[in-house]
Amino acid sequence: GLLSLEWAPIGFGPATEQAWVQVGPELPDAMGEPVLAWARPADVAAALALVQAWLGAEYPAGSRLAVRTRDAVAAAPGDTVAGLAEAGVWGLVRSAQSEHPDAGLVLLDDDGRPESAEVVAAALATGMREMALRAGTVLVPRLRPVPSGPELPIGQGAWRLQGGPDGDLDEVRAVPAPDAERPLEPREIRIAVRVAGVNFRDVVSSLGMLPGDPRPAGGDGTGEVVEVGPEVHGLVPGLRVMGMFA
């Protein structure tokens, strides 16, 4: 089945005696002992230089570099990703983690609150590779099964999919569509849609940014004319068409 990403809280003990040192852009020399370091790069370019330097330093096993960001990921309800400029740092470091799983790279995002600052050391001591601190709680990404989709009606009556209030896609459901079977007005045509497109308006509506807009998603499409009104000229049943439908 399908999986979705959720951020779940984890328990953690008191901070250990590990000594984490702030670095960047320079890194400490490799002295034979594991290095525990953290840095908050200013941008993606600085993060790239930092990660490249870390990978080239050949620190001993057990070394870890925590790359810190602020509000760069949506980890809790209400998160607006105010640190969007730092979101690219997460993508870069996650790619490096995949390519170098034993390099000790860690991602740590925080919300800037004092209670979150107090648990940084304890969070790093958990050994997790990706974490977000929200109001003093340590959150980690977890994959969860996606709930099954809406039940589709059984029978021959026409139906369509409808989102929740203001286009919310989390509440999609099947509803009757009597307009699909009513007699046509003189200048209307009926189209059997083969492919429906999702355009920018649909995306904006699904984010709740078009309150009160009753139009369903998928207004762009291609299909075949199956019926025309008596005052329609130039279109006949069987004709393939494409455009914006209403």
Side-chain angles (χ1 to χ4, degrees), residues 23-229:
V23 298
E26 302 296 329
L27 294 175
D29 295 330
M31 304 298 291
E33 295 292 330
V35 174
L36 301 177
W38 69 271
R40 193 186 292 273
D43 50 33
V44 175
L48 175 60
L50 176 70
V51 171
Q52 288 177 330
W54 177 265
L55 296 175
E58 298 184 352
Y59 289 114
S63 297
R64 300 174 70 200
L65 172 64
V67 180
R68 299 185 58 180
T69 57
R70 177 159 297 170
D71 292 325
V73 293
D79 279 0
T80 59
V81 194
L84 184 60
E86 299 183 55
V89 173
W90 269 68
L92 185 147
V93 176
R94 290 191 69 198
S95 295
Q97 287 176 329
S98 299
E99 296 173 2
H100 306 274
D102 299 323
L105 295 171
V106 179
L107 280 164
L108 180 65
D109 188 74
D110 68 72
D111 54 8
R113 297 184 181 183
E115 55 267 39
S116 294
E118 293 176 358
V119 300
V120 168
L124 292 173
T126 64
M128 295 292 178
R129 300 205 317 165
E130 296 181 29
M131 293 171 285
L133 307 183
R134 297 293 183 267
T137 299
V138 181
L139 305 175
V140 296
R142 292 288 184 263
L143 292 177
R144 308 291 190 198
V146 175
S148 58
E151 292 187 7
L152 302 182
I154 299 176
Q156 298 183 359
W159 56 271
R160 64 179 176 84
L161 294 177
Q162 176 174 300
D166 297 331
D168 186 357
L169 295 182
D170 290 333
E171 300 181 29
V172 172
R173 62 192 185 281
V175 298
D179 280 353
E181 298 177 316
R182 66 168 175 78
L184 294 179
E185 296 292 333
R187 298 186 179 182
E188 290 183 332
I189 65 174
R190 178 165 286 124
I191 298 171
V193 177
R194 305 305 184 196
V195 178
V198 177
N199 61 27
F200 182 73
R201 188 202 70 84
D202 299 325
V203 175
V204 173
S205 178
S206 70
L207 297 174
M209 299 174 66
L210 296 177
D213 188 344
R215 294 175 295 172
D220 300 355
T222 64
E224 182 178 319
V225 176
V226 295
E227 186 181 357
V228 299

